[in-house]
Amino acid sequence: MRRNKNTSLDTTVTDFIILGLPHPPNLRTLLFLVFFIIYILTQLGNLLILLTVWADPKLHARPMYILLGVLSFLDMWLSSVIVPRLILDFTPASKSIPFGGCVAQLYFFHFLGSTQCFLYTLMAYDRYLAICQPLRYPQLMNGRLCTILVSGAWVAGSIHGSIQVTLTFRLPYCGPNQIDYFICDIPAVLRLACADTTVNELVTFVDIGVVAASCFVLILLSYANIVHAILKIRTADGRRRAFSTCGSHLTVVTVYYVPCIFIYLRAGSKSPLDGAVAVFYTVVTPLLNPLIYTLRNQEVKSALKRIAAGRGTVNENK
């Protein structure tokens, strides 16, 4: 059992000070520009995919691209919850965040993050059905079922976020109020609690670490079956196309899950690496998604060309 050393204080924390990522003062301007550019590119890239899926009839009628559009939407919001606050750490602005603001950030971070976790699993299942059960795929994964599964992921993510925020902020916080992290997240906030956090750490381990690890294992099992099916394809071109489609997904999943599991299966850890590792799945992954899925997906590139050609024709007629 772990207790904060300041349990004797009778004051109640009304705001927190987010210390941010450790960095040399002379790199502050450079880091501000880097993360600002990353945020802009993340928003524009995911918005482009979202609009492409919505505008192209060949894409938004297929479950794979419905899931991709939802992923882009999640990435835009997840990035907006994390990166603007991170950017402020590299400016002279106050690093203070109201208690309610910290509660909101923790909730939306875990709500959107866990929803994304479930969505990656659904995307792996979709690819498994498409490659291993191609003849039955239209019946096994149709638009209606896809909508139900996506809705379930959103509901499960909301429940997860509510559980985590309730358990975290039911504890008393009486000082200190400095969060040694770049966002309000469970491990960093719990270190400031003036009460026993054993239950919270256990729930964090089970509800986040084990669930994330389980989803990751399910994804790996899906891809093990996919690889087995791909190796049976006789033509080299067919194998190449199948590997290309799944390779992009597996790349993003690895970048997302490995850092996530690293942090939450070590909830009591105070490693200085945690902040740097967390940047990968909170900042880098939302940026990589549109790049990987656009550059490595021929159908998305073709849809972009069709949309551009259509607009060009309209402009010429005007």
Side-chain angles (χ1 to χ4, degrees), residues 109-308:
F109 172 49
H110 283 275
F111 166 37
L112 297 170
S114 59
T115 302
Q116 191 174 62
C117 177
F118 298 134
L119 188 68
Y120 280 134
T121 309
L122 292 180
M123 294 176 76
Y125 177 65
D126 174 75
R127 290 301 83 207
Y128 163 75
L129 292 179
I131 294 174
C132 299
Q133 304 283 341
L135 298 179
R136 300 178 59 203
Y137 177 74
Q139 289 76 39
L140 295 174
M141 180 62 80
N142 51 49
R144 182 175 178 274
L145 178 59
C146 183
T147 302
I148 293 173
L149 292 175
V150 169
S151 300
W154 281 96
V155 171
S158 179
I159 293 173
H160 163 81
S162 299
I163 291 173
Q164 292 300 330
V165 79
T166 300
L167 287 175
T168 300
F169 291 102
R170 72 178 175 82
L171 300 174
Y173 292 89
C174 52
N177 68 337
Q178 293 185 335
I179 297 176
D180 190 13
Y181 210 51
F182 63 96
I183 55 171
C184 288
D185 196 15
I186 295 169
V189 173
L190 286 182
R191 295 185 199 119
L192 306 180
C194 302
D196 180 28
T197 61
T198 303
V199 173
N200 295 72
E201 291 175 359
L202 178 61
V203 172
T204 298
F205 178 85
V206 174
D207 190 32
I208 301 177
V210 173
V211 170
S214 299
C215 289
F216 188 50
V217 169
L218 288 174
I219 291 172
L220 292 180
L221 288 175
S222 295
Y223 278 99
N225 284 283
I226 288 170
V227 169
H228 180 70
I230 289 175
L231 293 176
K232 293 182 178 180
I233 298 176
R234 295 182 179 182
T235 64
D237 183 62
R239 288 195 298 269
R240 182 188 59 79
R241 290 179 61 187
F243 272 121
S244 178
T245 300
C246 298
S248 58
H249 181 202
L250 195 56
T251 300
V252 173
V253 163
T254 302
V255 173
Y256 180 84
Y257 276 98
V258 172
C260 185
I261 294 171
F262 174 81
I263 290 174
Y264 292 108
L265 287 183
R266 303 161 51 256
S269 171
K270 296 183 180 180
S271 172
L273 290 176
D274 287 355
V277 170
V279 168
F280 277 95
Y281 74 95
T282 58
V283 179
V284 177
T285 300
L287 173 66
L288 289 179
N289 282 340
L291 294 175
I292 291 176
Y293 281 108
T294 301
L295 294 178
R296 299 191 62 179
N297 190 301
Q298 189 59 45
E299 291 179 303
V300 174
K301 289 190 288 186
S302 298
L304 286 170
K305 291 177 181 178
R306 287 195 298 270
I307 293 172

